[in-house]
Amino acid sequence: MSRFSDGPGARIVGLGHYQPARVVTNDDLAADWGVETNDAWIQERVGIKARRFAAEGETTLDMSVAASGKALAAAGIEAADVDLVVVATLTPPTMLPNVASQVAARLGINAPGAFDVNTACSGFSYGLATAQHAITAGASKTALVIGAEKLTDVMDFQDRTTCILFADGAGAAVVTASEQNGIGPVYWGSDGPRGEVLNIDDDGYIRQEGQAVFRWATTALAPLAKQACERAGVDPSELVAFIPHQANVRIIDLIAKRLGATNAVIARDIVESGNTSSASIPLALSKLVERGELPSGGPALLFGFGGGLTYAGQVVTIP
Ligand code: UT7
């Protein structure tokens, strides 16, 4: 089988992230929001120690712009050279105009293709694949792919089974055409008949049947993540990093084990950032790269899963 990095294609050339200033610990949730919970339960069942909440007026758009500016700087690419902006989010500040065209306007990107993607927690992998497809089809040359959420807008602080999980933040990647491909074929899919277990209710708040989602994540997903490796011609043991959606440390560790990512750095950004849905993968990846914890040029598996139910993953080369 040929390897994903044989021949021309697209690759990630820069990453950036943004997290709001406000750090909220598990004890803060109990003390300041009156949530009937405790630090020990959250750490044991989910693995979260703290998360970030956006300021009142701070939006998904603001966080997208901040993360994108850093990704462009890391890539050494001018905003004017970007010709496609894709924003994965389920919390746009407005449905119309979309977030992507507003990010472009704020960054001074002139007349790019600009669209939002909503596949919840798998959104970044869907967005990245779509940008890759546009580049390899010759429709675009330089894309900005963003995952950004202000989940505090859709969190019910009376519901302790969800409000302890979610948080705000953004991550962005600059993707360009490249002589050597650095993005493997996406493996994506969905399970719509089971979508009810995770939804935004009529009251505007996110709800989930936690155990049903947990069972799905820990039984169905490892073989699907393996498919993404197979499509790239990479054995899981060759991965230098596994960056799954940050939903629960127990889920992350079980998928990593069943996948056989034996030599990979496993992203566990959820510990300090909570679950930021479509932002969680680019946020975790950008932080690991910034801290110098991943070898440049190595293969890493990104794998998103969640609302829909949807999933998507691809092997990428670390920039
Ligand atoms: O990003 C989208 C994808 N989402 C996910 O992947 C989430 C998947 N699900 C999960 O990660 C887990 O199911 C949760 C973290 C949401 C819940 O953990 P769990 O181990 O499945 O807990 P549980 O729902 O079985 O609840 C166990 C106990 C219950 O008490 P009893 O009935 O045993 O007395 C709950 O009432 O824990 C109680 N509980 C809490 N206690 C303290 C539920 N929430 C809390 C809380 N603090 N926040």
Side-chain angles (χ1 to χ4, degrees), residues 99-110:
V99 185
S101 51
Q102 297 308 298
V103 169
R106 289 248 203 121
L107 290 173
I109 303 171
N110 185 33

Side-chain angles (χ1 to χ4, degrees), residues 293-308:
E293 289 178 29
L294 303 183
S296 174
L301 175 64
L302 315 183
F303 192 76
F305 58 89

Side-chain angles (χ1 to χ4, degrees), residues 35-38 41-42 45-46 121 159-166 198 208-217 245-248 250-251 275 277 305-307:
V35 182
E36 260 186 67
T37 191
N38 59 79
W41 190 94
I42 297 175
R45 299 282 178 134
V46 201
C121 310
D159 177 2
R160 70 174 182 171
T161 68
T162 54
C163 74
I164 54 122
L165 302 173
F166 299 110
L198 182 50
Q208 76 169 341
E209 290 174 34
Q211 286 190 4
V213 180
F214 189 92
R215 265 195 309 277
W216 171 70
H245 167 52
Q246 302 289 294
N248 185 319
R250 289 186 293 149
I251 294 175
N275 177 344
S277 191
F305 58 89

